[in-house]
């Protein structure tokens, strides 16, 4: 069983920065891939960034060069540093892992970027 709790969302002006955190209960060292998704209002969730336990990273083209994903296995936490935020980054951001064949999602954290 894995429980994911996100934090760090909020309201920021365009060009600003936010750092999201996702704290996982359980031993996430055994979880290979940790992923951030986001969901714009009325749209499907889309992958933002992912990181494996050996720190192989993948980004959506829309966030490359602006967002940085990282993880701290000792703290059971994955982070998303978001810089140069744009209005189109406004969405609910979700942390996701798949562990022993089961999908786990966090509750989501709202990010709102004002122009």
């Amino acid at each position: 069983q894995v429980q994911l709790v996100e934090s760090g969302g909020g309201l920021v002006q365009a060009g600003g920065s936010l750092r999201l955190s996702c704290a996982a209960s359980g031993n996430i060292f055994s979880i290979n891939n940790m992923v951030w998704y986001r969901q714009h209002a009325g749209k499907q969730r889309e992958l933002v960034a992912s990181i494996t336990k050996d720190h192989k990273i993948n980004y959506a083209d829309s966030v490359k060069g602006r967002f940085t994903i990282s993880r701290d296995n000792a703290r059971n936490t994955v982070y998303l540093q978001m810089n140069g935020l744009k209005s189109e980054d406004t969405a609910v951001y979700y942390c996701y892992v798949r562990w022993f064949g089961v999908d786990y999602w966090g509750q989501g954290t709202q990010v709102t970027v004002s122009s």
Side-chain angles (χ1 to χ4, degrees):
Q1 189 79 12
V2 177
Q3 186 174 17
L4 305 171
V5 179
E6 298 108 335
S7 61
L11 174 64
V12 64
Q13 288 187 335
S17 299
L18 285 173
R19 189 192 196 201
L20 305 183
S21 299
C22 172
S25 63
N27 180 8
I28 69 167
F29 188 75
S30 64
I31 297 175
N32 184 36
N33 207 28
M34 301 190 76
V35 188
W36 285 100
Y37 280 84
R38 67 186 180 187
Q39 188 168 21
H40 296 98
K43 297 189 177 181
Q44 291 187 331
R45 290 182 190 181
E46 62 181 19
L47 186 145
V48 176
S50 64
I51 183 169
T52 66
K53 63 182 179 182
D54 57 355
H55 302 279
K56 292 180 181 177
I57 291 171
N58 181 54
Y59 293 105
D61 287 343
S62 58
V63 306
K64 283 180 180 177
R66 300 187 298 121
F67 290 11
T68 302
I69 189 171
S70 60
R71 66 190 281 174
D72 184 338
N73 290 333
R75 297 179 184 273
N76 294 343
T77 302
V78 62
Y79 304 96
L80 186 68
Q81 177 67 43
M82 305 185 294
N83 298 328
L85 283 162
K86 305 176 181 179
S87 58
E88 53 262 44
D89 295 317
T90 295
V92 179
Y93 286 71
Y94 296 91
C95 181
Y96 164 85
V97 301
R98 184 171 179 85
W99 191 65
F100 286 100
V102 179
D103 295 331
Y104 294 92
W105 293 91
Q107 83 282 2
T109 185
Q110 176 71 46
V111 171
T112 302
V113 183
S114 63
S115 56

